[in-house]
């Protein structure tokens, strides 16, 4: 399972702030010294999946090169799943996070808050893992409510996550 949280700061990944995710991470590999391949989402995703510098983004996409990680895992018998509510075609990300390399579940729904969409993404990830129980699966979950404009539930227990000021 590769969980990508858009624009998440490292200091927010603590048991106090993210108890469920930190417990999940304890059972797997944590890349505590990993540095993003770029400060842009599409470039960072590219670097993760291709194992190459983001400077190669457009040349490799234009050449039709497939991302190494899902290709190798698919050849090894894994089912590659990608679940998100983000815009699939943003900056050509669908060219390496699309149907050619993954079974894609896109949960975009106009009018719903990003945090609601992220909850739907997590629920769908649970469902997909149950549906593929006992099978090798590479699951990429992309949540983006942690990106500007920082969408959070309005309940009191979540207000601590709200920005200090609004534009």
């Amino acid at each position: 399972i590769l969980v990508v949280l858009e624009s998440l700061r490292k200091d927010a990944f603590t048991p106090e702030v993210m108890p469920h995710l930190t417990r999940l991470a304890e059972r797997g590999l944590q890349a505590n010294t990993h540095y993003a391949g770029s400060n842009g989402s599409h470039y960072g995703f590219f670097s993760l999946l291709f194992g190459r510098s983001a400077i190669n983004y457009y040349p490799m996409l234009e050449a039709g090169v497939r991302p190494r990680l899902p290709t190798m895992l698919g050849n090894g018998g894994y089912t590659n799943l990608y679940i998100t509510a983000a815009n699939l075609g943003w900056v050509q990300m669908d060219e390496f996070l699309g149907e050619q390399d993954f079974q894609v579940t896109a949960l975009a729904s106009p009018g719903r808050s990003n945090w609601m969409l992220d909850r739907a993404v997590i629920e769908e990830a649970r469902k997909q893992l149950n549906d593929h129980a006992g099978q090798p699966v590479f699951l990429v979950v992309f949540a983006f409510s942690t990106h500007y404009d920082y969408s959070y539930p309005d309940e009191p227990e979540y207000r601590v996550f709200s920005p200090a000021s609004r534009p």
Side-chain angles (χ1 to χ4, degrees):
I1 301 172
L2 174 62
V3 178
V4 178
L5 303 173
E6 173 73 31
S7 303
L8 183 73
R9 291 177 15 187
K10 185 179 189 308
D11 63 351
F13 187 67
T14 67
E16 297 77 29
V17 176
M18 301 183 143
H20 302 296
L21 193 57
T22 53
R23 276 197 307 274
L24 176 65
E26 288 171 0
R27 299 189 325 225
L29 172 69
Q30 294 183 60
N32 294 323
T33 57
H34 169 76
Y35 293 93
S38 174
N39 63 348
S41 306
H42 54 305
Y43 294 135
F45 248 131
F46 172 88
S47 292
L48 277 171
L49 298 179
F50 282 79
R52 295 182 180 243
S53 168
I55 198 167
N56 296 296
Y57 187 82
Y58 289 107
M60 293 197 67
L61 293 183
E62 289 169 10
V65 176
R66 305 310 325 142
R68 294 303 310 147
L69 185 56
T71 299
M72 290 178 5
L73 291 171
N75 290 342
Y78 280 71
T79 299
N80 296 325
L81 306 170
Y82 174 52
I83 304 171
T84 189
N87 178 349
L88 294 175
W90 190 73
V91 196
Q92 297 175 271
M93 287 176 61
D94 56 335
E95 292 186 27
F96 62 92
L97 281 165
E99 296 289 343
Q100 189 170 348
D101 302 294
F102 291 90
Q103 293 176 23
V104 177
T105 303
L107 299 174
S109 178
R112 289 181 72 191
S113 297
N114 289 348
W115 68 267
M116 295 171 88
L117 293 170
D118 282 354
R119 281 189 178 173
V121 165
I122 298 304
E123 288 307 313
E124 180 63 22
R126 285 185 180 137
K127 178 187 175 300
Q128 291 284 342
L129 288 172
N130 285 333
D131 290 350
H132 292 86
Q135 302 169 30
V137 172
F138 174 47
L139 171 62
V140 177
V141 176
F142 180 40
F144 64 99
S145 62
T146 48
H147 187 277
Y148 181 81
D149 66 347
Y150 313 108
S151 171
Y152 299 97
D154 198 31
E155 288 87 27
E157 64 267 27
Y158 294 105
R159 289 195 185 125
V160 67
F161 301 112
S162 296
S165 65
R166 290 276 180 195

